[in-house]
Amino acid sequence: MMRRIAVTVVAVLPLALALAVAPVGAQVRQQGSPIDDLLDRSNNAYNDLEYSRADTLARQVLALGSSITVAQRTRALTLVAAAAYPDDPPAQRRAASLEAIRRIVRSNLAFSMPQELTWPGLTALVEEAKRTTFGMEVNADSLQVAVGVDGRATIRARSSRPGRFQLTIGQEGGSTLVRDSATTGPDNAVEFRIPVMRNERPLFSSARYDVTITGIDAAAPDTVVTRYAVTADAPPLAFADVNMKMDSSKLLAERTGRFGYKSVLPALLVGGAAFALSSTLRAEGNIATEVGADSKGMAVGGALALTTIVAGFMDRGRQIPANIAANKAYGEAFQKSIADAEAENRRRVAEYRTTLRFDLGVR
């Protein structure tokens, strides 16, 4: 009897657990952010034709300011516009709807009303807002890889009317890394090509940067400022050492040593020998009796000694061919090491990769 009860409990337990967990999972899925909950309630009120309540709830979201995301802000303004201009003439507040749409298209020129909220009159109002408002939109591939000194990342911007765009990229509270400006062309568009290297050095480090794009209306004193984020993956660029100074201690002597002071002793010997030899020689005739042999020997010996010493100090030594060849080989190897290091550094610069991830949600 106990065994049957145990088997029954084991068989029923998984089902009981599943029934117990399922409501919890459903509750977790149903739980969104309080802001999204307000927006859902505003949308439900609009569907129930409670336009005033839909407007109030959407404006509560807008009042939170920077606490909401770009998507939440756009959805709230969309609900305000739809609630202010429904397909029900007595409930229409055209000016309020147009103002909300203009706030959207100033930084999102490609905006269109969701199908479930729009009707022909509201669609026409969106087109009017785009015609009468200086708006802009920014596009860029979310993932871009730039290689080498000529590598570039691209950001495209377009405005509803002719104007000028300014671009800056930098870290919050830090210096500006990139600054550029451009005037729109016939299609009211510009393209910014962002360098990733400067002077063959990475311009970015691995960090998150602010991208600020300012649109300036050419026809009126109107300016739209949008901020985006870009995350850079830019590892440090390590260079090979280029040793420009040769180690002279490794050079071999290319000549034997100079004779120098070592010539003094041979000079004395040569001079002494010359003097001694001259002392034993006698010329014939009057010279032999009028000039002493010792004085002639002293002059000759002194001249020979002096000549030997001068020759010793002028001696440069004898060339050593093997050492000359070794020094030449060492010099060539040194120059090649410089060329190889410089070539390696050029390769590293040419192959250096900067990866940029753009988040084009307006901030």
Side-chain angles (χ1 to χ4, degrees), residues 259-292:
F259 211 65
Y261 287 101
K262 294 185 289 184
S263 65
V264 173
L265 180 59
L268 294 176
L269 294 175
V270 171
F275 175 74
L277 182 62
S278 65
S279 299
T280 62
L281 297 176
R282 290 289 186 271
E284 296 179 355
N286 295 333
I287 296 178
T289 58
E290 294 177 1
V291 180

Side-chain angles (χ1 to χ4, degrees), residues 171-257:
Q171 288 183 295
E172 186 174 357
S175 60
T176 299
L177 295 182
V178 177
R179 189 187 303 272
D180 198 1
S181 62
T183 301
T184 58
D187 55 354
N188 296 335
V190 298
E191 181 178 88
F192 292 106
R193 291 181 55 77
I194 303 167
V196 297
M197 300 191 80
R198 182 177 294 158
N199 298 325
E200 297 188 346
R201 298 294 187 276
L203 191 57
F204 295 90
S205 57
S206 295
R208 185 177 174 87
Y209 296 88
D210 291 328
V211 180
T212 302
I213 297 180
T214 303
I216 304 169
D217 191 353
D222 192 6
T223 299
V224 180
V225 179
T226 56
R227 296 180 63 204
Y228 308 92
V230 59
T231 302
D233 181 7
L237 177 56
F239 287 96
D241 292 334
V242 181
N243 183 14
M244 303 299 294
K245 185 176 181 181
M246 181 183 291
D247 185 0
S248 59
S249 66
K250 295 183 178 181
L251 294 174
L252 303 176
E254 297 185 353
R255 291 178 177 272
T256 58

Side-chain angles (χ1 to χ4, degrees), residues 68-362:
I68 61 177
T69 66
V70 176
Q72 289 169 338
R73 176 181 176 274
T74 300
R75 188 182 177 196
L77 286 171
T78 300
L79 287 166
V80 167
Y85 202 65
D87 188 12
D88 182 9
Q92 291 177 357
R93 293 177 293 121
R94 189 178 188 279
S97 180
L98 183 60
E99 192 273 336
I101 298 171
R102 281 176 171 169
R103 290 176 63 184
I104 298 173
V105 300
R106 279 179 67 80
S107 58
N108 185 3
L109 192 57
F111 169 77
S112 61
M113 290 293 294
Q115 189 65 37
E116 67 273 12
L117 296 178
T118 195
W119 59 285
L122 190 55
T123 300
L125 205 60
V126 172
E127 295 304 317
E128 179 182 343
K130 292 182 179 181
R131 289 194 309 270
T132 59
T133 304
F134 181 69
M136 58 183 281
E137 65 173 313
V138 177
N139 292 307
D141 294 338
S142 59
L143 178 63
Q144 301 188 44
V145 179
V147 181
V149 293
D150 296 325
R152 296 290 188 273
T154 302
I155 295 180
R156 296 169 295 276
R158 182 175 69 90
S159 57
S160 57
R161 294 197 291 263
R164 184 163 53 91
F165 285 92
Q166 295 177 342
L167 165 75
T168 60
I169 300 179
Q171 288 183 295
E172 186 174 357
S175 60
T176 299
L177 295 182
V178 177
R179 189 187 303 272
D180 198 1
S181 62
T183 301
T184 58
D187 55 354
N188 296 335
V190 298
E191 181 178 88
F192 292 106
R193 291 181 55 77
I194 303 167
V196 297
M197 300 191 80
R198 182 177 294 158
N199 298 325
E200 297 188 346
R201 298 294 187 276
L203 191 57
F204 295 90
S205 57
S206 295
R208 185 177 174 87
Y209 296 88
D210 291 328
V211 180
T212 302
I213 297 180
T214 303
I216 304 169
D217 191 353
D222 192 6
T223 299
V224 180
V225 179
T226 56
R227 296 180 63 204
Y228 308 92
V230 59
T231 302
D233 181 7
L237 177 56
F239 287 96
D241 292 334
V242 181
N243 183 14
M244 303 299 294
K245 185 176 181 181
M246 181 183 291
D247 185 0
S248 59
S249 66
K250 295 183 178 181
L251 294 174
L252 303 176
E254 297 185 353
R255 291 178 177 272
T256 58
R258 296 166 59 113
F259 211 65
Y261 287 101
K262 294 185 289 184
S263 65
V264 173
L265 180 59
L268 294 176
L269 294 175
V270 171
F275 175 74
L277 182 62
S278 65
S279 299
T280 62
L281 297 176
R282 290 289 186 271
E284 296 179 355
N286 295 333
I287 296 178
T289 58
E290 294 177 1
V291 180
D294 57 339
S295 63
K296 292 184 289 185
M298 183 177 297
V300 173
L304 290 174
L306 180 61
T307 301
T308 302
I309 292 173
V310 171
F313 278 94
M314 292 182 65
D315 175 50
R316 296 179 57 195
R318 178 177 53 82
Q319 287 188 344
I320 307 175
N323 288 4
I324 293 174
N327 288 343
K328 181 181 179 181
Y330 174 67
E332 292 174 348
F334 176 73
Q335 293 299 326
K336 185 176 184 301
S337 69
I338 294 176
D340 289 346
E342 291 177 341
E344 172 63 17
N345 287 338
R346 288 193 297 271
R347 184 194 65 79
R348 294 183 186 185
V349 169
E351 296 179 0
Y352 183 81
R353 300 166 67 89
T354 301
T355 302
L356 298 176
R357 293 177 172 83
F358 286 90
D359 178 6
L360 293 184
V362 184

